[in-house]
Amino acid sequence: MAHNDTHAARKKGGAGRILLVVLLLLLLAAGAAVLFAYNEIHGNGAPGSTEVTVSIPQGSGVATIANKLKEAGVIRSAYLFRWYVGEKGAAAKLQYGDFELTTGSSYDALISTLSQYAKAETVRVTIPEGTTAIAIAQKMEAAGLCTAEEFLKEANEGDFSTYTFWQYVPEDKDAPNRFMKCEGYLFPETYEFLKDDTVHNYVATFYAQFDAQFTKEMYAALKKQDMTLPELVTLASFVQEEAGNSQDSNVAQVFRNRLAEGSPYPRLQSNTSSHVQSDADNNYLWNWVAPYYGGWDDIPENILAAYDTYSCTGLPAGPISNPGLAAIKAALEPQPDEEAKDAYFFVTDLKGNYYYAHTLAEHNANCKTAAAVNKSLKN
């Protein structure tokens, strides 16, 4: 019996020593991890130092940046860097571009450098208000950034669901008569693009700007009016093309009067998107849609019918350009002059004067006045 007690005591003693060793190893491992993290964060861990150039693409998140730094040998732990940036609340400060960094630098030094705008090979592209998607794609190609075909494919087919507005833009299957999904949402602005960035990031730059411009208050106004985002942007594109100046609100009001329930003139009847085949007109169908399909006779019948504002009732199937913020705001909440409040018609002359009318007879008289002004300018 005593022998068994002694054997049990030895077994208990052996188990205790094993547990002690395990605990000691765990403590040593934890200590080593803490020491590694401390040295890594403070730049004491890596032997020697080397200058390296790290390229951070535009639109990169902290995870991508951390992986880039680790791949370049600047840091040893991408996870630790992500955690530290989060703890410091520095994620939003990190920039894109080409950075000259030193391996083994402290994380604070890296964050400081990465938070400064880096010199990078960029290309400036200016997109005027009212530029079409095809014209934007052509500008991107002319700038040497990507081909027009690549840009349009990504803009129409890419996944941009991270942006709020994207959820309100129907898929192609739900908008079979629409010409291009991207039309209207490529916000016109002057941009600085990294020369070797991805096509997705190029397109995302436009969409991010649109998303930033369209506020919660604007979405609330849309909901109050029972109006969809595509309807608003489509209307705004016509305001942009027919005005794009101090007359935005007046032109928007005329179109809204025509679109109102019970309107005697339920069609926009705008030459900016019509059956008129003339180079003299700024006509979306003639200048952009027809060449895209190879010619006027090659435009699909459903597209032609959906964009000819002299035959389709209400708004066409989609925007006819990418409008600026002023046109969008005017289309959403116009502040018209008295002469345009109840108008259904307008015409312009070559001097830039706008003539508004409530009746067709008044409009015909205005057309004669505008024609007389135009004739006087040619004499």
Side-chain angles (χ1 to χ4, degrees), residues 84-317:
Y84 191 76
V85 169
E87 286 295 304
K88 287 285 186 176
K93 299 177 183 178
L94 303 184
Q95 303 292 316
Y96 66 90
D98 296 331
F99 296 89
E100 297 299 325
L101 303 174
T102 304
T103 59
S105 296
S106 70
Y107 282 7
D108 284 337
L110 291 173
I111 290 172
S112 176
T113 301
L114 292 169
S115 297
Q116 299 170 16
Y117 184 74
K119 290 183 179 180
E121 192 172 0
T122 61
V123 177
R124 175 172 290 187
V125 179
T126 297
I127 308 298
E129 295 175 343
T131 307
T132 64
I134 292 175
I136 290 174
Q138 291 171 347
K139 281 179 172 287
M140 297 297 283
E141 182 169 332
L145 296 169
C146 59
T147 68
E149 184 179 358
E150 289 171 337
F151 184 88
L152 289 174
K153 180 177 176 59
E154 185 62 23
N156 287 310
E157 300 176 13
D159 180 9
F160 298 95
S161 54
T162 55
Y163 300 115
T164 300
F165 83 89
W166 196 248
Q167 64 185 294
Y168 301 110
V169 182
E171 297 294 334
D172 286 338
K173 63 182 177 62
D174 299 317
N177 298 324
R178 182 182 58 198
F179 177 48
M180 283 195 180
K181 182 179 182 179
C182 66
E183 193 77 271
Y185 308 98
L186 299 166
F187 197 81
E189 185 60 272
T190 295
Y191 297 100
E192 292 282 346
F193 294 106
L194 285 175
K195 197 165 186 181
D196 297 319
D197 210 343
T198 64
V199 178
H200 181 87
N201 283 343
Y202 292 146
V203 176
T205 301
F206 287 92
Y207 286 157
Q209 187 68 0
F210 182 94
D211 212 45
Q213 297 296 324
F214 211 92
T215 64
K216 291 180 180 179
E217 290 75 18
M218 294 168 75
Y219 280 114
L222 271 181
K223 186 176 181 181
K224 186 177 180 180
Q225 297 180 38
D226 194 25
M227 193 178 194
T228 68
L229 180 64
E231 287 172 343
L232 172 64
V233 177
T234 299
L235 177 57
S237 70
F238 279 88
V239 172
Q240 185 71 63
E241 297 310 295
E242 291 281 16
N245 51 37
S246 62
Q247 295 296 310
D248 281 357
S249 276
N250 288 340
V251 169
Q253 187 62 49
V254 171
F255 284 142
R256 287 178 73 105
N257 290 343
R258 282 179 164 257
L259 295 169
E261 187 176 352
S263 164
Y265 306 102
R267 298 179 179 86
L268 294 189
Q269 293 183 306
S270 170
N271 286 349
T272 58
S273 187
S274 74
H275 61 277
V276 179
Q277 301 175 45
S278 171
D279 291 333
D281 286 329
N282 174 29
N283 184 352
Y284 187 64
L285 278 170
W286 177 253
N287 294 329
W288 301 104
V289 179
Y292 179 84
Y293 286 111
W296 184 268
D297 294 335
D298 296 314
I299 301 176
E301 289 185 9
N302 65 311
I303 299 292
L304 182 61
Y307 281 86
D308 180 6
T309 59
Y310 281 86
S311 63
C312 70
T313 299
L315 289 166

